[in-house]
Amino acid sequence: MLVYRLQGTLDNEELAAQLWEAGATGLEERAGHVRAYFDERTELDAALAGGEWLEEESRDWQAEWKRDLKPVTAGRITVVPSWLLSVVPPGQLPLIIEPGMAFGTGHHATTRLATEALGTLPLEGRRVLDVGTGSGVLAIAASLLGAAETLGLDIDPVTIPVARENAELNGFGDRAGVQRNPRTGGTLTFQEGTLDGEEEAGRYDVLVANLYAELHDLLAADYRAVLAPGGPLVLTGILLDKLPLVRVALEREGFVDVQEQHEGEWALVTARAPQA
């Protein structure tokens, strides 16, 4: 069995995504190291340098990994692989994500914090924009929570089919690129693009973005432009030492009711768009 071992944790979704994209057939975490399983030795990007290749006795790592994987409770949502759907507590909304996709599965603190924050908002009948949708977890969560119209936007075209597949796992049918929540009838769309293409001012009632602080700083004016007056803003993916950058950006654009929540090295920031 061929293993590439390097320092890190699976909380680092970027690291995990890079390993999946390099051809890993499975990942696990042990004692501060990420272990990536490969069928054959492959040339890795510089971002993955510093690890070591190991030849080990073969074992059924997939069965062990599945055994250890637990559902993630995030407010009213429980993120769960399909084989654990039966353990979702009554009253929780299950959000099925198959681990092993190229992008996040909801286990990272930033995704969980944002999902919890969405669950505290009255989304019924609202229009929600998920910027940097990736695996689509936050957009799917918003629709499950009752949003009438949800758009997941990402500049990376590779994410779009992954997000659509995840929506299909959750029962969202697809008609001409628009998926529909089977329970509420709300629409869910994933598309490649940027906020520059969302030109209708005040179109969205809620905006959520799991990016990094420098991008939140760059996009703050666009967040304000596309949000309806007083609309909630949910920002995550922010390292604690980068929080001042986000605070200044939101103050600059007139956002109000700015609040923070911290977990480990990560922060969630919520705010409301100015009324005028």
Side-chain angles (χ1 to χ4, degrees):
M1 180 169 63
L2 190 60
V3 180
Y4 186 70
R5 186 181 71 172
L6 72 167
Q7 285 191 325
T9 72
L10 290 178
D11 279 348
N12 185 339
E13 289 192 334
E14 183 177 355
L15 174 64
Q18 290 169 338
L19 288 165
W20 288 121
E21 290 167 358
T25 59
L27 302 177
E28 70 170 337
E29 181 183 326
R30 282 196 217 166
H33 288 80
V34 171
R35 295 164 53 86
Y37 296 88
F38 287 85
D39 291 329
E40 59 184 8
R41 192 180 293 256
T42 184
E43 185 174 345
L44 300 174
D45 292 342
L48 298 174
E52 60 178 337
W53 288 99
L54 305 171
E55 289 279 357
E56 298 184 354
E57 183 179 350
S58 293
R59 62 188 177 89
D60 192 350
W61 64 265
Q62 285 186 318
E64 295 179 17
W65 178 57
K66 282 189 173 185
R67 181 194 64 206
D68 294 337
L69 195 65
K70 300 294 189 293
V72 176
T73 299
R76 295 160 57 195
I77 296 281
T78 295
V79 183
V80 64
S82 58
W83 64 86
L84 291 178
L85 191 59
S86 63
V87 305
V88 175
Q92 285 291 102
L93 293 168
L95 197 166
I96 303 169
I97 294 290
E98 296 295 351
M101 298 281 189
F103 303 92
T105 61
H107 285 72
H108 193 274
T110 60
T111 309
R112 187 174 66 257
L113 288 170
T115 304
E116 290 174 354
L118 286 172
T120 67
L121 299 173
L123 297 186
E124 292 81 2
R126 303 295 182 89
R127 297 165 298 181
V128 178
L129 176 62
D130 175 17
V131 181
T133 194
S135 64
V137 168
L138 296 179
I140 297 169
S143 188
L144 291 174
L145 289 164
E149 176 187 331
T150 307
L151 172 63
L153 197 63
D154 206 295
I155 62 171
D156 186 352
V158 176
T159 68
I160 304 305
V162 173
R164 288 174 178 160
E165 287 178 19
N166 284 334
E168 289 174 5
L169 285 173
N170 287 275
F172 286 73
D174 193 345
R175 177 181 292 182
V178 177
Q179 295 173 287
R180 191 172 292 278
N181 184 323
R183 183 174 61 86
T184 68
T187 62
L188 175 60
T189 306
F190 294 104
Q191 68 182 45
E192 178 188 356
T194 67
L195 281 175
D196 290 340
E198 297 300 307
E199 297 174 354
E200 185 181 340
R203 170 167 170 70
Y204 294 96
D205 302 302
V206 178
L207 188 152
V208 59
N210 186 359
L211 301 170
Y212 52 88
E214 291 83 355
L215 268 180
H216 292 317
D217 176 36
L218 183 66
L219 296 173
D222 294 316
Y223 296 161
R224 183 196 64 204
V226 300
L227 264 173
L233 177 71
V234 178
L235 303 181
T236 189
I238 305 163
L239 288 166
L240 289 180
D241 62 358
K242 299 290 186 179
L243 260 175
L245 188 63
V246 178
R247 292 178 186 135
V248 170
L250 296 180
E251 182 179 0
R252 181 183 69 230
E253 300 303 330
F255 282 91
V256 297
D257 194 21
V258 179
Q259 299 183 38
E260 300 172 6
Q261 184 178 344
H262 304 168
E263 183 171 320
E265 62 181 342
W266 298 101
L268 171 88
V269 177
T270 60
R272 291 188 176 273
Q275 290 293 339

